[in-house]
Amino acid sequence: SAVISQKPSRDICQRGTSLTIQCQVDSQVTMMFWYRQQPGQSLTLIATANQGSEATYESGFVIDKFPISRPNLTFSTLTVSNMSPEDSSIYLCSADGGIGTEAFFGQGTRLTVV
Amino acid sequence: QQQVKQSPQSLIVQKGGISIINCAYENTAFDYFPWYQQFPGKGPALLIAIRPDVSEKKEGRFTISFNKSAKQFSLHIMDSQPGDSATYFCAASSTGTYKYIFGTGTRLKVLA
């Protein structure tokens, strides 16, 4: 199984600023994913990140707001740009070792925008 | 059609009892159905998963029952323990895509 480390684990940010969340996997993975989880709610997929190509965004999420980088097979970043209080949420990084296999999750980044 | 409906939203069970959580889906292309357990402040962790070629899978106290014709699957936790208190998510995905569609979650509380 893969181990995923996310940084920071939590942050409190001022509105209008940006935060970059880092996700490191201890093994090479094909696909990495970024989810948002509102407190007490389910997971909503923001985007899928492939190495060497643009991320694929789900409906309701745009690259200008959530730029993603995937420079290699073990690392990805998600930036939450021009933050507002509505962006307060838990952001989760996930990786999948292959089609139809287990998806692993990081511990999440709890973001509060004030 | 991409939704996975999960119920109940919350569940309280006595220690030693059986916890049952249900999920239903519409998309017949889904062929992988995992259950995730999430403790507060932690990311979801895979508990057990099933493919539609079997109707039941058991791992310890955890069992998935799968009804392909009804497009439903459920998680049964036997001999529920206070340490099982967590939020449980069902999910679904299909071969050819790495994307998971998650249910809305069930907050389970097992009373000591």
Side-chain angles (χ1 to χ4, degrees), chain B residues 33-80:
Chain B
F33 303 91
W35 284 90
Y36 281 82
Q37 179 188 57
Q38 185 178 31
F39 293 104
K42 303 292 185 182
L46 180 69
L47 193 60
I48 186 172
I50 197 168
R51 294 192 179 277
D53 53 344
V54 296
S55 60
E56 185 175 283
K57 183 175 181 179
K58 183 176 181 179
E59 290 183 1
R61 296 185 293 109
F62 302 93
T63 300
I64 299 179
S65 297
F66 186 83
N67 186 329
K68 187 174 181 178
S69 60
K71 292 184 284 187
Q72 296 175 348
F73 58 109
S74 60
L75 175 69
H76 296 235
I77 305 174
M78 312 301 286
D79 187 25
S80 298

Side-chain angles (χ1 to χ4, degrees), chain B residues 74-93:
Chain B
S74 60
L75 175 69
H76 296 235
I77 305 174
M78 312 301 286
D79 187 25
S80 298
Q81 299 296 312
D84 297 330
S85 297
T87 299
Y88 293 81
F89 293 96
C90 63
S93 70

Side-chain angles (χ1 to χ4, degrees), chain A residues 39-103:
Chain A
Q41 303 296 316
S42 187
L43 288 77
T44 301
L45 182 64
I46 297 172
T48 302
N50 289 332
Q51 189 239 348
S53 63
E54 293 260 340
T56 302
Y57 290 82
E58 297 299 306
S59 176
F61 298 96
V62 294
I63 187 171
D64 289 346
K65 176 67 174 177
F66 299 100
I68 288 171
S69 77
R70 180 79 197 275
N72 58 51
L73 292 175
T74 64
F75 187 79
S76 179
T77 66
L78 169 76
T79 299
V80 186
S81 303
N82 188 25
M83 288 183 287
S84 66
E86 292 71 34
D87 295 320
S88 297
S89 188
I90 299 169
Y91 292 85
L92 290 155
C93 171
S94 174
D96 194 314
I99 295 175
T101 63
E102 176 179 355

Side-chain angles (χ1 to χ4, degrees), chain B residues 3-7 22-26 70-73 90:
Chain B
Q3 283 187 326
V4 177
K5 296 181 180 179
Q6 183 172 347
S7 63
N22 301 298
C23 283
Y25 63 98
E26 291 292 327
K71 292 184 284 187
Q72 296 175 348
F73 58 109
C90 63

